[in-house]
Amino acid sequence: MTLVIDAMGIGLILPVMPELIRDVNGGSLGEAAIWGGILATGFAVMQFLFGPVLGSLSDAWGRRPILLASLAVMSADYVVMAVTGSIWMLLAARIVGGILAATHSTAMAYVADISRPEEKAPRFALTHAAYGVGFVIGPMMGGLLGTFGPRAPFVAAAILAALNMGLGWFVLPETVTDRIRRPFTWRRANPFGAIMHVANLPGLGRLLAVLAIYEFALYVYPAIWAYFTPVRFGWDSTMVGLSLALFGIGYTIVQAGLVRPFLKTFGENGTILFGLTFEVALLAALGVITSGTVALILTPISAIGSVAVPALQGVMSKRVGEDTQGELQGVITSTISLATILAPLVMTQVFYFSTREGAGFHHPGAAFLLAAALMVGCVLLYVAGTQVRRGDPGGS
């Protein structure tokens, strides 16, 4: 329930972010996309720097206090975004939010704490399904609330985050016991030291690289979807919200109902390869289609590729000890953040230069084609790893 409410809060603001940026800064939709990329990058930089710190703190202090503190800051972050009239204050809010946005990685560590090795991948899938439910409800509410102005969804998101903290305060027990508690050290809490420590564990370096490329490519969706669809298909914020809700429905069905059968049928290695290859095909299709109806049909179908993520997380989680789950999830957060530091800037710049007035090359889907090419590289890197470590039961 905590993850569902968290995802609702995030999903609420996505359909109206372009309107809020233009409301406080003016300019064209393409210029708003560039600022959207800057805001996302600022958030990702802070997650990169502080993800391992919070992960290591949760190994030492417990998951509960870190999760509750992050929800409190998230609520305040949404309030600032709802009332600000300055693009720089908006950027400052995203930076502060990025520092303590630990809900996802802390939740993953929490799930790892309470799961046996064979249960981890399916249970990671359930946490993704919870996010999917939130993204069904959140974007639809955001699109509808956006009719009252671009700031209304941020007020609703702030209230949800505060209620979420209240829910966690009363129902969420601690999972870090003295048996698995690990003292906090700055050597393993700083992002570079933590990444080097985890990457040097057998098989994890290549898996982290695969994850980084995967997240870089797929960041094309949050980076430009709210800008791409109005230009390409003429959608308004309500249609953007509907499309995100459809993706949330598909994502929830995949994570709750398809991941476990995929793992039983194809194993972790086969599931990862299928998911990566499927993403290549969907990204390429979105790069060339011109029909909004076809895009709407493909939106929930595109979620099938997400079967790769919990399988990949399951492989990585089984490679570290019980006292290092928080650190691993912090490193995963930093790895994703490192990829998404550059991804929003690159994807929004590609969108801007391929759609700006007078551009010699006008192709709104260019960023999706770039993402498809990156995903091909992701597939090749993973396949190379399976050939090097053919005897590894995790397929990594």
Side-chain angles (χ1 to χ4, degrees), residues 132-217:
V133 171
F135 270 103
V136 172
I137 303 170
M140 291 183 66
M141 290 178 61
L144 293 173
L145 288 172
T147 61
F148 298 99
R151 298 175 187 271
F154 290 87
V155 175
I159 295 171
L160 275 177
L163 292 173
N164 201 358
M165 184 184 67
L167 174 67
W169 181 273
F170 288 106
V171 307
L172 193 71
E174 183 56 70
T175 59
V176 175
T177 63
D178 290 339
R179 183 180 65 84
I180 65 173
R181 194 182 307 277
R182 194 192 67 196
F184 178 85
T185 62
W186 280 110
R187 180 179 61 83
R188 292 172 66 168
N190 77 83
F192 302 102
I195 289 174
M196 290 300 296
H197 170 73
V198 172
N200 286 331
L201 295 174
L204 279 180
R206 190 182 294 268
L207 290 174
L208 287 172
V210 169
L211 180 65
I213 299 172
Y214 178 91
E215 293 293 338
F216 188 104

Side-chain angles (χ1 to χ4, degrees), residues 82-127:
V83 301
T84 185
S86 164
I87 191 69
W88 298 107
M89 185 60 70
L90 201 60
L91 177 60
R94 298 315 290 146
I95 288 173
V96 172
I99 292 174
L100 285 176
T103 49
H104 188 73
S105 59
T106 306
M108 290 299 180
Y110 193 106
V111 169
D113 291 341
I114 62 173
S115 303
R116 294 190 300 270
E118 67 275 11
E119 295 175 331
K120 288 182 177 181
R123 287 190 175 179
F124 285 145
L126 289 179
T127 66

Side-chain angles (χ1 to χ4, degrees), residues 216-228 244 247 279 282-284 286 298-299 302-303 347 368 371:
F216 188 104
L218 286 193
Y219 207 88
V220 68
Y221 289 105
I224 72 164
W225 188 256
Y227 311 92
F228 162 74
L244 292 172
F247 176 80
E279 297 287 10
L282 259 295
L283 289 167
L286 286 170
L298 287 178
T299 300
S302 67
M347 296 304 180
F368 283 98

Side-chain angles (χ1 to χ4, degrees), residues 1-381:
M1 287 304 301
T2 295
L3 290 172
V4 168
I5 299 172
D6 185 27
M8 284 175 61
I10 297 170
L12 271 167
I13 71 173
L14 289 179
V16 297
M17 183 61 82
E19 294 179 49
L20 179 64
I21 294 173
R22 296 182 74 182
D23 186 54
V24 301
N25 199 56
S28 66
L29 194 61
E31 291 166 338
I34 291 177
W35 268 109
I38 293 172
L39 294 174
T41 295
F43 189 89
V45 168
M46 293 302 103
Q47 283 199 309
F48 168 72
L49 293 175
F50 288 90
V53 175
L54 294 173
S56 291
L57 284 174
S58 75
D59 283 337
W61 295 353
R63 317 298 181 207
R64 175 185 165 86
I66 301 301
L67 185 60
L68 295 180
S70 68
L71 288 169
V73 173
M74 188 178 299
S75 180
D77 187 51
Y78 287 138
V79 170
V80 172
M81 295 175 74
V83 301
T84 185
S86 164
I87 191 69
W88 298 107
M89 185 60 70
L90 201 60
L91 177 60
R94 298 315 290 146
I95 288 173
V96 172
I99 292 174
L100 285 176
T103 49
H104 188 73
S105 59
T106 306
M108 290 299 180
Y110 193 106
V111 169
D113 291 341
I114 62 173
S115 303
R116 294 190 300 270
E118 67 275 11
E119 295 175 331
K120 288 182 177 181
R123 287 190 175 179
F124 285 145
L126 289 179
T127 66
H128 290 294
Y131 261 80
V133 171
F135 270 103
V136 172
I137 303 170
M140 291 183 66
M141 290 178 61
L144 293 173
L145 288 172
T147 61
F148 298 99
R151 298 175 187 271
F154 290 87
V155 175
I159 295 171
L160 275 177
L163 292 173
N164 201 358
M165 184 184 67
L167 174 67
W169 181 273
F170 288 106
V171 307
L172 193 71
E174 183 56 70
T175 59
V176 175
T177 63
D178 290 339
R179 183 180 65 84
I180 65 173
R181 194 182 307 277
R182 194 192 67 196
F184 178 85
T185 62
W186 280 110
R187 180 179 61 83
R188 292 172 66 168
N190 77 83
F192 302 102
I195 289 174
M196 290 300 296
H197 170 73
V198 172
N200 286 331
L201 295 174
L204 279 180
R206 190 182 294 268
L207 290 174
L208 287 172
V210 169
L211 180 65
I213 299 172
Y214 178 91
E215 293 293 338
F216 188 104
L218 286 193
Y219 207 88
V220 68
Y221 289 105
I224 72 164
W225 188 256
Y227 311 92
F228 162 74
T229 51
V231 171
R232 187 70 146 182
F233 311 123
W235 291 358
D236 58 15
S237 63
T238 301
M239 278 299 296
V240 173
L242 174 62
S243 68
L244 292 172
L246 285 175
F247 176 80
I249 293 171
Y251 188 78
T252 303
I253 292 172
V254 169
Q255 296 297 320
L258 294 185
V259 170
R260 192 181 295 271
F262 263 88
L263 290 170
K264 287 183 177 180
T265 304
F266 303 109
E268 289 171 334
N269 178 55
T271 300
I272 293 168
L273 281 174
F274 173 86
L276 297 179
T277 305
F278 192 88
E279 297 287 10
V280 173
L282 259 295
L283 289 167
L286 286 170
V288 298
I289 63 173
T290 58
S291 168
T293 301
V294 174
L296 208 58
I297 293 171
L298 287 178
T299 300
I301 296 175
S302 67
I304 294 175
S306 67
V307 295
V309 179
L312 193 59
Q313 289 176 315
V315 171
M316 288 191 282
S317 181
K318 286 189 287 188
R319 292 187 179 278
V320 302
E322 292 181 348
D323 63 344
T324 314
Q325 294 297 326
E327 180 183 7
L328 171 64
Q329 297 304 327
V331 167
I332 289 175
T333 296
S334 279
T335 301
I336 294 171
S337 299
L338 187 60
T340 56
I341 285 170
L342 292 177
L345 295 177
V346 172
M347 296 304 180
T348 53
Q349 288 285 342
V350 170
F351 175 76
Y352 171 71
F353 283 107
S354 63
T355 59
R356 66 190 176 114
E357 187 176 349
F361 173 74
H362 184 83
H363 192 84
F368 283 98
L369 297 178
L370 171 62
L374 289 169
M375 195 64 72
V376 170
C378 191
V379 172
L380 295 176
L381 179 62

